[in-house]
Amino acid sequence: MRLKLDANENPIPLPKEAREGLTERLASTELSRYPDGEAWELRRALARYAGVDIRQVLVGNGGDEVIFMACHAFALGGRVAVVGPTFEMYEDAARSLGAEVFTVQLDGDFLFEPGEVIAARPDLVFICRPNNPTGNLYPPQLVLECLRSGAVVFVDEAYIEFSLDAGMSRFLASEERLMIGRTMSKAFGLAGVRLGYVLAPEELVRRLERVRQPYNVGCLAQAAGLFMLENLPLVESMARRIRAWRQDLYRGLQAIDGIEAYPSETNFILFRPLACDPDLLWRALRDKGVLIRRYPGHQVLRKYLRVSVGTPEENALFLKTLGEILGGVGDKDSCGRAKDTGDGSQGQALS
Ligand code: PMP
């Protein structure tokens, strides 16, 4: 595969100097000892980064583990509401732990009605902000209203560094059932390392601690996370560049006839081919070495595709390949689209 734009990874390689610094740090880690089970140094650095108390931070083996821990601690065999379409892991984790899952559907503007969340009488609510895969940020008020359900509300901020929003950690002091999930896989560029964390009021962290395995984050992961937190200007510059590249990619997608692209506050863009089958388009791209994300069989998302923001060179190659496929010669282009016909569905989002 020439281009991998399917998993919302950070496309920027670590600069040589940082890579050497990190290698040195990892080399001096004592591998024969168990890691610090409390991950004190890493949690202290995360607390400073997020502007919260260290007792309000818990770390996990990727954001995925943190999601599982939340389901285990707050919804084992219970009721979980998920605002979506969204990241599938919430539903998968909840179901695997015996919970009943209710999906509160997004409307055509990718927004939702908090009353529907409250009506589901959940123990735990998952809200992804900004949302994967729609890319938008819900107004904080929508999230705060969900807290009236009495449930623990898990706000997933995996992509928050790519938006200009400060996130919802400022509400932790006043909202005792608010929990924020984050990851170092995206803006921090550590997807392979597996590091995620939770910011939550102390009482919720204590409850998560009861289901956390003692050494859930290894010493190499702790060292790598700490290293990146000591190099925040590097992280900030990566996020800034990716934001700028996202805007170029968005404009490039919009300029292609037959594509509707949706604005994004993340490092990916959701788009909809208006007059051709998304699955055929996905295959045509794959056959040319370009991997993006499709949603075959999904009730709502099957009409959409999602592309991660790559480097400018990668984005240009993706746009060129997409343009070539959609502009194919003959009565039909190479993704099965009859020339000059539309299906009249332009402009309908998530319907
Ligand atoms: N939350 C969201 C919304 C995601 O999209 C992802 C990964 N794509 C994660 C959490 C988990 O990330 P990780 O396990 O790599 O930390």
Side-chain angles (χ1 to χ4, degrees), residues 250-272:
Y250 177 66
R251 277 193 287 272
L253 276 166
Q254 275 187 317
I256 295 178
D257 201 23
I259 292 291
E260 179 158 52
Y262 300 91
S264 170
E265 307 264 356
T266 65
N267 69 334
F268 55 81
I269 295 177
L270 188 75
F271 67 95
R272 184 171 174 202

Side-chain angles (χ1 to χ4, degrees), residues 7-8 61-65 67 86-87 90 128 130 132 156 158-159 182-186 191 194-196 268 306:
N8 304 338
N61 181 29
D64 288 346
E65 191 196 18
I67 291 164
T86 188
F87 186 46
Y90 314 132
C128 188
N132 176 7
D156 189 339
Y159 299 96
R182 299 254 188 102
T183 177
M184 298 188 80
S185 294
K186 310 298 175 182
R194 313 303 299 133
L195 258 183
F268 55 81
R306 188 196 71 192

Side-chain angles (χ1 to χ4, degrees), residues 29-343:
T29 304
E30 265 200 271
L31 301 184
S32 62
R33 304 284 176 193
Y34 282 102
D36 172 8
E38 310 273 346
W40 282 108
E41 273 195 274
L42 176 60
R43 284 171 54 230
R44 191 172 297 118
L46 285 168
R48 203 176 308 122
Y49 169 65
V52 301
D53 188 276
I54 188 169
R55 285 164 300 193
Q56 296 178 309
V57 183
L58 176 136
V59 291
N61 181 29
D64 288 346
E65 191 196 18
V66 160
I67 291 164
F68 266 86
M69 282 195 271
C71 291
H72 192 173
F74 301 108
L76 195 63
R79 296 165 69 85
V80 171
V82 173
V83 174
T86 188
F87 186 46
E88 308 84 351
M89 191 58 73
Y90 314 132
E91 184 166 346
D92 294 350
R95 284 198 203 286
S96 77
L97 290 160
E100 204 176 340
V101 178
F102 303 83
T103 300
V104 171
Q105 290 292 341
L106 296 179
D107 63 22
D109 295 321
F110 299 159
L111 296 174
F112 66 96
E113 182 49 64
E116 290 178 31
V117 173
I118 296 168
R121 292 181 295 109
D123 301 299
L124 177 64
V125 181
F126 281 103
I127 301 175
C128 188
R129 180 180 187 276
N131 188 39
N132 176 7
T134 54
N136 63 311
L137 265 177
Y138 309 120
Q141 198 51 36
L142 289 190
V143 175
L144 296 176
E145 281 180 40
C146 292
L147 285 159
R148 295 213 328 258
S149 66
V152 171
V153 176
F154 184 112
V155 179
D156 189 339
E157 295 188 348
Y159 299 96
I160 198 71
E161 286 93 351
F162 300 114
S163 80
L164 295 176
D165 189 273
M168 292 195 65
S169 55
R170 66 186 184 280
F171 295 104
L172 288 176
S174 54
E175 298 294 344
E176 55 189 24
R177 289 183 306 277
L178 177 65
M179 202 163 143
I180 292 169
R182 299 254 188 102
T183 177
M184 298 188 80
S185 294
K186 310 298 175 182
F188 283 81
L190 296 182
V193 168
R194 313 303 299 133
L195 258 183
Y197 59 101
V198 156
L199 309 173
E202 268 184 75
E203 174 53 25
L204 297 192
V205 169
R206 269 197 292 273
R207 288 183 61 187
L208 285 172
E209 275 293 347
R210 290 188 212 142
V211 300
R212 186 179 69 84
Q213 297 198 20
Y215 301 118
N216 64 325
V217 176
C219 57
L220 294 175
Q222 291 188 31
L226 198 54
F227 179 85
M228 293 308 288
L229 286 158
E230 288 165 6
N231 287 278
L232 281 178
L234 173 60
V235 177
E236 282 154 12
S237 111
M238 289 196 289
R240 205 169 35 244
R241 289 160 74 195
I242 291 169
R243 277 198 299 269
W245 298 342
R246 173 186 72 209
Q247 287 321 103
D248 295 341
L249 177 61
Y250 177 66
R251 277 193 287 272
L253 276 166
Q254 275 187 317
I256 295 178
D257 201 23
I259 292 291
E260 179 158 52
Y262 300 91
S264 170
E265 307 264 356
T266 65
N267 69 334
F268 55 81
I269 295 177
L270 188 75
F271 67 95
R272 184 171 174 202
L274 296 172
C276 85
D277 179 49
D279 204 51
L280 287 177
L281 179 55
W282 181 88
R283 281 165 204 261
L285 283 163
R286 184 205 51 193
D287 292 347
K288 288 178 179 282
V290 179
L291 194 60
I292 62 169
R293 181 68 204 269
R294 64 173 169 170
Y295 301 91
H298 190 288
Q299 214 182 343
V300 178
L301 292 176
R302 64 191 156 78
K303 296 178 188 164
Y304 299 81
L305 295 166
R306 188 196 71 192
V307 61
S308 307
V309 178
T311 60
E313 297 72 31
E314 289 175 324
N315 298 335
L317 183 54
F318 161 72
L319 288 169
K320 180 170 169 279
T321 312
L322 181 64
E324 280 167 9
I325 292 169
L326 291 176
V329 285
D331 285 345
K332 289 200 170 178
D333 61 31
S334 45
C335 75
R337 179 178 64 161
K339 285 287 183 69
D340 301 318
T341 58
D343 64 0

